């Protein structure tokens, strides 16, 4: 664990430059706006260790994956988000010598991510020959209001230096991914135009033929007044630049403002990109930095008004949850149903920037509770539009009759993951998508989504589960063989309890939805049956057999559900027996040793108990938590949050708090020594759930919202916002009472502990807190 950032409720602050951890800081200080993102690379030249990262949502490359051990059904390619043309570049020279923090004599350095208003600041001083000093300050933001815009303000102030300063503002499309095979580059230039202080490059991706236009417009002032110097222009393939050379004296401050517009062919006609970018640059520069920045602050004010979590008395916890909420809102805005959420968001290349099951299992619940319902609906529409591709994915593996297997990793609905045990075995992702449909409808009441889209997806997924289950004459039960559960430290196992439980639940839910539609809207039922080729009586009778006869492994002595067949054959021991110098085990042990151990990467059984807790009594949940939690090493970013919620459910608030702090500060404190690759965006949603569903005890049961609050001893109070069927409300919890405030124009019906309350529009209710009460 590495702690190097100052504790602050609204800011991430790095004091002093730490080149050995520069990649980690580049991830932590990343910015985005749902349309594009930027790692915290320096504007000026830096020859030290760095991961250059500029990303445009939806723009990817299908890297070929065929290898010597290729088998039928294996994905043809591994999709990866591309490092896009670099737009932040402003190289600075002093008397002809480049400013480079890898070689400069640094007097002071400070980097600040302002989460409240959505911008990145950097301030540093360098010592020059003859004991002269220059002070540098930069501010960068990506507009949340106008997401094609990025703005940089770069200032150089002379303390006691007199000489020449040169600003070289440029766009460079000659970029590549660090993980590219053999240094392969994915961009070609298709258009370029440049003149003094402005310019545009249009780049095209190979194979996928995405076009991205990146344009800049620059201005330079001295002490707030325009500098009249005319810049020199450089223009060559994949590169344009304008270089301003001027003098500076003690007390002078030179400031360059760089306006950038990035447009892609996802949203603009290819042949209009050049003109569109130039128009956007003219509009942005005419409004100026101050107006654009004021708009940015106002937009973030709106976002925090419905998604903030306030914690009193614990700065570490407060900073962490705001950091997670900030990054989630930077990554996805829900404005485009073609986009989704990559595990690293816009902060790194790892995982290819593709969509995983993380979206439905972790991110969608966050947006369900904090954003307008259209945001979550667009996440589901993304999957609906990939139904045809998912049916093809299943067909490649031998499934028939419209069975759908959603990809583990995708950009366009096709499977594009290149690891066997995940591509073919981690099929629980299908259940996560089915559960997301259920979760959306119970939160929003949007039955129309089920009728128009959801049922088709559920039918395809249910057909898959029906065909994937195998009848075992030995057990006289249905079994599911050869899978990998969420706990990826056990591969190719049989009868993973979580996977089998999801299969049964999905079949049951789909069946109940079909039966209800058959009663409520026979015409639509007939239409869906015709479209999907559903033989209702025949197919659902098969589903009923699987539902009634599925094998769910259980240890009758310990009275716990088993991860999978053979789990008890392992040597069972708690994770605290692992020597500290061997943690994390995925960085110190062989894969063979990990697979043979009992140690759990992330929740399997507890993930199922979290989703379906209403089907189990408290003692069952507690027994399984007490059995599995000590063996869990939490080396998945998706682990600690689920354990924290379950710990809260069983009244173990102290353990819930420890696990919350681990998941909340996973990246800030770099628990697993991997943040240099990018942040864990989807697990950040789990962090939010650990507060709202864990400590807050928020549940949707029987079409009602319920809360069952408790509070950690370390906190004086906490509050959160949540939505239910168009109603926004705020819950504040202290050690004495709970206040529920209705922030909407409709009456809020809510159950607190076991009592129902009706809170009118703009009204509030104060309720005494009930400690040690666990009956939800």
């Amino acid at each position: 664990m590495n702690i190097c950032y100052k504790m602050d409720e609204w800011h991430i602050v790095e004091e002093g430059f730490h080149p050995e951890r520069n990649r980690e800081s580049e991830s932590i200080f990343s910015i985005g706006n749902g349309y594009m993102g930027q790692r915290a690379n320096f504007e000026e030249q830096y020859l030290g260790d760095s991961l250059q990262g500029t990303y445009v949502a939806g723009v990817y490359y299908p890297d070929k994956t065929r290898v010597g051990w290729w088998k039928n059904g294996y994905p043809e390619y591994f999709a990866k988000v591309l490092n896009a043309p670099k737009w932040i570049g402003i190289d600075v020279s002093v008397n002809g010598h480049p400013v480079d923090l890898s070689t400069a004599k640094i007097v002071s350095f400070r980097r600040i991510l302002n989460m409240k208003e959505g911008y990145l600041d950097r301030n540093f001083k360098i010592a020059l020959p003859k004991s002269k000093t220059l002070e540098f300050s930069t501010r960068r933001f990506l507009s949340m209001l106008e997401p094609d815009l990025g703005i940089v303000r770069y200032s150089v102030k002379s303390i006691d230096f007199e000489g020449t300063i040169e600003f070289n503002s440029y766009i460079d499309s000659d970029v590549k991914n660090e993980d590219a095979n053999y240094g392969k580059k994915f961009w070609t230039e298709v258009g370029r135009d440049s003149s003094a202080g402005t310019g545009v490059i249009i780049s095209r991706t190979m194979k996928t033929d995405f076009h991205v236009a990146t344009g800049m417009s620059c201005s330079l002032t001295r002490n707030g007044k325009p500098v009249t110097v005319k810049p020199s222009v450089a223009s060559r393939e994949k590169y344009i630049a304008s270089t301003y050379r001027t003098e500076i004296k003690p007390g002078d401050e030179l400031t360059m403002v760089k306006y950038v517009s990035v447009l892609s062919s996802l949203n603009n006609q290819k042949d209009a990109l050049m003109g569109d970018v130039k128009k956007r640059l003219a509009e942005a520069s005419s409004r100026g930095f101050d107006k654009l920045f004021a708009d940015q602050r106002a937009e973030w004010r709106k976002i925090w008004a419905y998604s903030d979590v306030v914690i009193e008395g614990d700065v570490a916890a407060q900073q962490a949850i705001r950091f997670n909420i900030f990054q989630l809102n930077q990554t996805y805005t829900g404005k485009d149903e073609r986009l989704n959420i990559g595990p690293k968001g816009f902060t790194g290349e790892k995982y290819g920037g593709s969509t995983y099951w993380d979206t439905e299992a972790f991110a969608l619940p966050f947006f369900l509770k904090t954003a307008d319902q259209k945001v979550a609906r667009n996440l589901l529409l993304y999957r609906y539009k990939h139904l045809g591709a998912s049916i093809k994915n299943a067909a490649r593996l031998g499934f028939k009759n419209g069975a759908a297997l959603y990809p583990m990793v995708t950009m366009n609905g096709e499977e594009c993951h290149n690891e066997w045990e995940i591509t073919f075995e981690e099929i629980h992702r299908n259940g996560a998508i089915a559960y997301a449909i259920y979760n959306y409808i119970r939160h929003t009441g949007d039955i129309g989504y089920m009728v128009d889209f959801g049922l088709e997806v559920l039918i395809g997924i249910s057909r898959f589960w029906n065909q994937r289950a195998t009848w075992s004459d030995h057990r006289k039960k249905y079994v599911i063989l050869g899978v990998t559960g969420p706990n990826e430290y056990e591969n190719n196992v049989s009868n993973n309890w979580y996977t089998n439980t999801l299969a049964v639940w999905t079949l049951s839910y789909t069946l109940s939805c079909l039966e209800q539609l058959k009663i409520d809207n026979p015409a639509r039922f007939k239409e869906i049956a015709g479209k999907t080729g559903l033989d209702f009586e025949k197919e659902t009778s098969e589903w009923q057999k699987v539902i009634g006869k599925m094998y769910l492994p259980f240890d009758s002595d310990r009275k716990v559900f088993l991860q999978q067949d053979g789990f008890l054959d392992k040597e069972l021991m708690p994770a605290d027996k692992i020597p500290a110098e061997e943690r994390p085990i995925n960085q110190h042990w062989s894969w063979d040793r990990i697979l043979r151990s009992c140690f759990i990467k992330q929740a399997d059984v507890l993930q199922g108990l979290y989703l379906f807790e209403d089907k189990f009594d408290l003692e069952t949940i507690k027994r399984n938590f007490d059995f599995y939690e000590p063996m869990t090493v939490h080396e998945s970013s998706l682990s600690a949050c689920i354990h924290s919620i379950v710990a809260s459910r069983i009244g173990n608030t102290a353990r819930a708090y420890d696990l919350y702090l681990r998941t909340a500060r996973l990246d800030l404190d770099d628990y697993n020594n991997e943040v240099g690759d990018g942040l864990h965006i989807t697990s950040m949603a789990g962090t939010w759930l650990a507060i709202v569903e864990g400590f807050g005890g928020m549940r949707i049961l029987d079409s009602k919202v319920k809360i069952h609050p408790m509070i950690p001893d370390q906190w004086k109070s906490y509050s959160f916002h949540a939505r239910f069927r168009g109603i926004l409300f705020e819950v504040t919890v202290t050690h004495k009472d709970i206040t529920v405030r209705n922030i909407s124009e409709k009456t809020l019906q809510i159950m607190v502990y076991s009592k129902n309350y009706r809170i009118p529009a703009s009204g509030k209710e104060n309720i005494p807190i009930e400690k040690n009460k666990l009956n939800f």
Side-chain angles (χ1 to χ4, degrees), residues 38 57 197 232 274 342 429 450 454 492 555 666 696 766:
Q38 176 65 53
S232 61
M274 182 68 75
R429 74 242 193 185
M450 175 65 79
N492 197 28
D555 177 21
L666 176 72
N766 290 94

Side-chain angles (χ1 to χ4, degrees), residues 727-731 739-748 750 758-766:
I727 299 173
L728 177 66
F729 60 95
E730 180 187 58
V731 177
T739 301
V740 181
R741 187 165 64 96
N742 184 358
I743 316 172
S744 69
E745 298 179 356
K746 296 194 294 185
T747 297
L748 169 66
I750 188 169
R758 288 176 57 87
I759 304 176
S762 302
K764 68 177 182 178
E765 190 79 37
N766 290 94

